[in-house]
């Protein structure tokens, strides 16, 4: 385990973020630490309050720990290409494995709201400590824990969970403790039933085998000799990223969470702690591209239908930057003052007030996703086109206004270059969708506005003296989002202004040839943050599509070395220590990995399963309707 600096509490109570594994059932997720402790588990849904939250407060958050009594070393892995997690403990006296999983909710053979923990011994004898301390409503509700015929029942404020345990236990207040001794060949099961399913029969071994089969059947696969778009030394990391994205997908709605956690810090001890258990519409375009090229068309369609329904339910001006996974719009941000935060990082926030911000880039992201679906064969209904047309018309009205931007700065609205370019993209993709789908609309007006936006960005968003695009009008700050300009088709990759911008970002935002910071300059918040994994992927993309393929591949392979041994990545990386920062695992980071592998594959001559991805449609000029 990595050595942690003192943060005002016991450092060993907080494992490094990157040492956690994650399991889930397509409704919620649990984080399992290297010490056999489940330290994060919202229920019944990902955005619900928690049963365990020790990752945010080691003393008050609650946990469910199965770990050897003696000192141990740990190895961890997912079973093949599944989301079944194995933690192997080695002591001087023996070896034992804890297997954690939840059956996906669309498997009807077994109760869907059960967290399974299997303990098996393969060598010698291993004594286990068992600790079960559920906390309800982020530790704010007083729990009652008592023995019942079926096991141990914990309840508070009408919520209840049942732990089926094979051992005798001692209950002290709201905490259960016990011990378990296993010899080679022995196994034991702990079943945490998280709903009123006490009378449901369960065959744990059958549930395990069916869960393995579900994930193995679902994931991306290709045989030797197949033309795979993701061929390369990173192929297995792409498959794991796909499995992460599926794990963050809500089965009922199709929405994809940005991460399964809340308030993991971007700076240890700092205040940049946010709740990411929601879906950001800004992720739409590149998410759809990743899912479609991975061959997961059903998931791409479900996600597409979900956000199109959101657009239908609200006028364009009322569309929010983010929503709950069931489409909830009220994401009121609150602080949990009774939690100390991960390693003393406070405040601990739940909810996210960014839902109330103006972020004009979301309209471009939505149109990118629609265009991507159409290029893969999706025919729009008249109703869908009407929604899209209304969005493009709205963009014509608001593109000149300032906004909070993609990074959700809290220092006031500005004229962000990225937001302007995404408004341009909304108009550009609207024209393309209308042109190729033979849809009606005021296309001449859209084209005229598109050219006005482009001219405005080139005049006010480009610094001719420094030969680079800047973050916002009337500022010197750089922003990694400028790496997306050629990917979006705003300018070609060989344009001197694009190459100058890439060079400026390499000089000012890149550290150790791997890590890319989001931006420089003030963002209205104190403290620092790590490098943003997605921005590092954007640089890989820009280099690969600029013809610097060897450079791009080297940077990508170096970045992948910071994946944890399970293939998981947080939002950010500390360039000095290599530690993961921010919420974890992060969907955007894994989307970046998938798309960078796709672009590198394309640059190396691999065939894509559908039309060329964004950024390599260089032979397709922007739709021009003439005068």
């Amino acid at each position: 385990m990595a050595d942690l600096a003192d943060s005002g509490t016991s450092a060993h109570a907080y494992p490094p973020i990157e040492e956690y594994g994650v399991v889930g059932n397509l409704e919620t997720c649990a984080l399992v630490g290297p010490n056999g402790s489940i330290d994060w588990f919202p229920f019944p849904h990902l955005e619900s309050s928690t049963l365990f939250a020790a990752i945010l407060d080691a003393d008050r958050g609650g946990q469910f720990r199965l770990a050897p009594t003696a000192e141990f070393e740990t190895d961890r892995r997912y079973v093949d290409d599944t989301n079944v997690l194995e933690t192997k403990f080695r002591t001087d006296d023996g070896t034992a494995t804890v297997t954690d999983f939840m059956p996906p909710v669309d498997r009807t053979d077994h109760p869907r709201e059960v967290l399974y923990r299997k303990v098996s011994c393969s060598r010698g004898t291993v004594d286990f400590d068992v600790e079960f301390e559920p906390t309800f409503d982020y530790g704010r509700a007083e729990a009652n824990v008592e023995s019942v015929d079926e096991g141990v029942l914990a309840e508070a404020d009408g919520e209840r969970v049942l732990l089926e345990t094979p051992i005798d236990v001692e209950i002290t207040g709201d905490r259960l403790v016990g011990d378990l001794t296993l010899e080679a060949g022995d196994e034991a099961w702990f079943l945490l039933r998280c709903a009123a399913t006490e009378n449901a029969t369960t065959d744990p071994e059958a549930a395990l085998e069916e869960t393995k089969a579900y994930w193995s059947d679902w994931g991306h696969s290709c045989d030797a000799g197949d033309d795979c778009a993701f061929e390369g030394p990173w192929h297995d990391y792409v498959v794991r990223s796909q499995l992460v994205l599926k794990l963050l997908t809500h089965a009922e709605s199709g929405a994809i969470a940005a991460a399964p956690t809340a308030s993991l810090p971007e700076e240890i001890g700092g205040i940049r702690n946010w709740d990411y258990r929601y879906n950001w519409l800004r992720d739409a375009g590149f998410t759809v591209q990743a899912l479609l090229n991975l061959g997961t068309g059903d998931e791409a369609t479900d996600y597409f239908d979900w956000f199109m329904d959101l657009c239908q339910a609200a006028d364009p001006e009322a569309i929010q930057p983010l929503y709950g996974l069931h489409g909830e719009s009220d994401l009121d941000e609150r602080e949990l003052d009774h939690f100390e935060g991960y390693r003393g990082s406070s405040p601990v926030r739940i909810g996210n007030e960014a839902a109330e911000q103006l972020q004009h880039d979301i309209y471009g992201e939505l149109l990118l996703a629609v265009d991507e679906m159409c290029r893969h064969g999706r025919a729009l209904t008249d109703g869908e086109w009407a929604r899209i047309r209304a969005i493009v018309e709205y963009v014509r009205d608001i593109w000149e206004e300032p906004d909070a931007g993609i990074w959700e700065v809290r220092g006031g609205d500005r004229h962000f270059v990225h937001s302007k370019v995404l408004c341009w993209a909304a108009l550009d993709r609207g024209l393309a969708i209308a042109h190729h789908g033979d849809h009606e609309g005021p296309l001449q007006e859209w084209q005229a506005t598109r050219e006005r936006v482009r001219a405005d960005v080139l005049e006010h968003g480009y610094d001719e003296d420094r030969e680079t695009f800047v973050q916002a009008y009337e500022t010197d700050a750089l922003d990694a989002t400028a790496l997306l300009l050629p990917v979006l088709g705003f300018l070609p990759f060989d344009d001197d202004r694009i190459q100058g911008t890439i060079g400026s970002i390499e000089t000012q935002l890149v550290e150790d040839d791997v890590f890319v910071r989001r931006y420089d300059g003030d963002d209205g918040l104190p403290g620092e943050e790590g490098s943003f994994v997605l921005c590092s992927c954007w640089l890989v993309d820009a280099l690969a599509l600029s013809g610097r393929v060897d450079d791009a591949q080297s940077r990508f392979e170096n970045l992948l070395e910071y994946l944890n041994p399970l293939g998981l990545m947080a939002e950010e990386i500390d360039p000095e220590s290599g530690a993961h920062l921010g919420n974890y695992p992060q969907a955007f980071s894994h989307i970046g990995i998938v798309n960078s592998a796709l672009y590198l594959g394309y640059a190396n001559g691999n065939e894509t399963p559908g039309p060329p991805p964004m950024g390599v449609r260089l032979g397709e000029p922007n739709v021009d309707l003439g005068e």
Side-chain angles (χ1 to χ4, degrees):
M1 185 180 297
D3 184 29
L4 302 182
D6 182 18
S7 61
T9 185
S10 171
H12 292 290
Y14 293 96
I17 291 170
E18 64 269 21
E19 290 193 3
Y20 280 93
V22 61
V23 299
N25 67 348
L26 307 183
E27 282 185 334
T28 189
C29 291
L31 263 61
V32 187
N35 58 351
S37 179
I38 296 176
D39 289 347
W40 177 256
F41 185 37
F43 184 82
H45 301 290
L46 201 61
E47 65 270 45
S48 302
S49 61
T50 54
L51 293 176
F52 309 116
I55 198 170
L56 295 181
D57 193 300
D59 294 327
R60 291 177 288 271
Q63 63 181 334
F64 180 11
R65 185 173 65 90
L66 300 175
T69 303
E71 291 187 1
F72 57 83
E73 294 181 349
T74 304
D75 288 328
R76 320 191 75 199
R77 73 177 191 112
Y78 283 108
V79 178
D80 301 324
D81 293 332
T82 76
N83 282 314
V84 175
L85 178 66
E86 290 184 346
T87 303
K88 180 177 288 186
F89 297 101
R90 291 188 177 89
T91 71
D92 289 341
D93 297 322
T95 301
T97 299
V98 175
T99 302
D100 289 297
F101 68 96
M102 298 182 75
V105 297
D106 50 0
R107 301 289 291 192
T108 59
D109 307 64
H110 301 277
R112 71 187 201 176
E113 295 171 326
V114 179
L115 176 62
Y116 292 79
R117 311 201 74 184
K118 176 185 179 181
V119 191
S120 57
C121 182
S122 59
R123 178 184 66 86
T125 301
V126 182
D127 296 323
F128 273 84
D129 287 331
V130 179
E131 182 178 356
F132 176 69
E133 186 181 8
T135 58
F136 297 84
D137 190 25
Y138 304 105
R140 294 179 295 192
E142 183 175 348
N144 178 58
V145 180
E146 62 178 340
S147 294
V148 295
D149 291 342
E150 300 87 353
V152 176
L153 181 67
E155 55 186 339
D157 293 347
E159 297 185 49
R160 60 202 309 242
V161 296
L162 175 70
L163 177 65
E164 293 184 9
T165 169
I167 62 172
D168 294 329
V169 297
E170 177 183 342
I171 299 174
T172 304
D174 57 0
R175 182 169 172 263
L176 170 159
V177 295
D179 55 72
L180 170 71
T181 299
L182 296 180
E183 297 181 350
D186 291 344
E187 65 180 38
W189 285 88
F190 294 81
L191 274 62
L192 181 59
R193 298 185 183 274
C194 304
T197 57
E198 298 94 335
N199 298 322
T201 59
T202 301
D203 181 344
E205 280 293 349
L208 174 57
E209 293 307 312
E210 290 190 24
T211 300
K212 290 179 184 177
Y214 173 91
W215 290 113
S216 295
D217 293 344
W218 177 83
H220 171 83
S221 62
C222 54
D223 298 323
D226 288 352
D227 290 327
C228 179
F230 302 100
E231 181 182 350
W234 42 75
H235 185 275
D236 290 347
Y237 297 126
V238 170
V239 174
R240 177 51 54 190
S241 292
Q242 178 194 27
L243 288 162
V244 171
L245 294 176
K246 179 66 171 177
L247 202 58
L248 297 179
T249 301
H250 197 283
E252 181 181 340
S253 66
I256 302 173
T261 56
S263 277
L264 292 184
E266 298 174 9
E267 178 186 33
I268 301 300
I271 71 164
R272 296 170 182 255
N273 318 311
W274 317 108
D275 190 346
Y276 274 17
R277 295 173 294 164
Y278 311 111
N279 178 266
W280 270 256
L281 294 185
R282 71 176 182 217
D283 302 355
F286 291 105
T287 301
V288 168
Q289 173 175 280
L291 292 174
L292 288 171
N293 282 282
L294 283 165
T296 48
D298 289 344
E299 284 72 19
T301 298
D302 290 345
Y303 180 42
F304 177 83
D305 290 341
W306 177 75
F307 65 68
M308 288 297 289
D309 286 344
L310 288 178
C311 295
Q312 182 179 27
D315 292 333
E317 63 269 23
I319 297 174
Q320 297 182 176
L322 62 148
Y323 289 88
L325 302 185
H326 296 83
E328 303 94 332
S329 57
D330 183 7
L331 306 181
D332 183 39
E333 185 173 294
R334 292 156 287 160
E335 295 183 1
L336 301 181
D337 295 332
H338 61 290
F339 274 179
E340 72 168 1
Y342 177 83
R343 295 179 61 194
S345 305
S346 64
V348 172
R349 296 182 177 91
I350 56 173
N352 200 308
E353 73 175 28
E356 303 171 7
Q357 290 185 340
L358 288 175
Q359 296 179 24
H360 294 160
D361 59 294
I362 63 174
Y363 303 108
E365 287 286 358
L366 288 171
L367 268 292
L368 291 175
V370 174
D371 183 51
E372 196 70 21
M373 289 293 293
C374 291
R375 289 175 182 271
H376 280 80
R378 171 66 179 257
L380 298 178
T381 66
D382 290 342
E384 288 171 339
W385 171 246
R387 296 172 226 167
I388 293 163
R389 175 173 168 166
I391 289 172
V392 179
E393 283 289 282
Y394 180 66
V395 168
R396 289 185 63 212
D397 293 334
I398 55 88
W399 73 268
E400 294 178 283
E401 300 174 8
D403 74 333
I406 184 175
W407 303 130
E408 301 172 348
V409 298
R410 301 196 176 195
D413 291 349
R414 307 177 198 171
H415 290 282
F416 287 102
V417 170
H418 179 72
S419 296
K420 305 292 187 189
V421 171
L422 265 293
C423 287
W424 174 92
L427 293 155
D428 181 72
R429 296 320 193 261
L431 284 164
I433 294 165
H435 178 72
H436 295 297
D438 198 25
H439 299 294
E440 294 184 355
L443 306 188
Q444 294 286 354
E445 289 87 344
W446 291 3
Q447 178 171 288
T449 305
R450 181 187 66 180
E451 298 314 310
R452 284 181 58 207
V453 178
R454 184 176 184 275
D456 193 74
V457 171
L458 293 177
E459 179 179 356
H460 300 290
Y462 181 75
D463 187 327
E464 292 188 1
D465 294 334
R466 297 164 62 202
E467 298 181 336
T468 185
F469 282 94
V470 293
Q471 182 184 54
Y473 293 1
E474 300 181 354
T475 181
D476 293 330
L478 296 184
D479 195 308
T481 54
L483 295 167
L484 295 176
L485 268 65
V487 175
L488 299 174
F490 185 80
L491 287 174
F493 280 94
D494 60 2
D495 190 287
D496 289 343
R497 290 165 291 188
I498 293 298
Q499 291 304 309
T501 299
I502 293 174
S504 295
I505 288 173
E506 286 184 283
T507 300
Q508 298 186 45
L509 296 184
V510 175
E511 299 182 52
D512 296 333
D513 291 331
V514 177
F515 305 112
V516 181
R517 291 182 288 116
R518 292 190 291 177
Y519 45 77
D520 54 20
D522 178 53
D523 61 5
L525 291 171
E528 302 293 333
E529 63 179 19
S531 67
F532 208 67
V533 173
L534 181 65
C535 296
S536 300
C537 292
W538 287 346
L539 179 58
V540 170
D541 304 343
L543 295 176
L545 298 177
S546 295
R548 295 169 58 184
V549 181
D550 290 344
D551 191 5
Q553 182 164 325
S554 176
R555 290 176 187 266
F556 189 48
E557 291 177 351
N558 289 338
L559 176 66
L560 294 179
E561 291 181 3
Y562 289 88
L563 287 161
N564 79 352
L566 296 172
L568 307 180
M569 187 78 87
E571 179 184 23
E572 300 178 7
I573 301 292
D574 182 340
E576 294 185 3
S577 67
H580 290 213
L581 296 169
N583 287 300
Y584 167 92
Q586 177 80 2
F588 231 169
S589 297
H590 287 279
I591 290 166
I593 289 169
V594 172
N595 284 324
S596 288
L598 182 69
Y599 287 129
L600 277 168
Y602 190 89
N604 284 317
N606 296 351
E607 294 185 6
T608 58
M614 280 184 282
V616 296
R617 300 167 186 156
L618 303 182
E620 300 180 18
N622 303 131
V623 171
D624 187 347
L625 306 176
E627 297 299 328

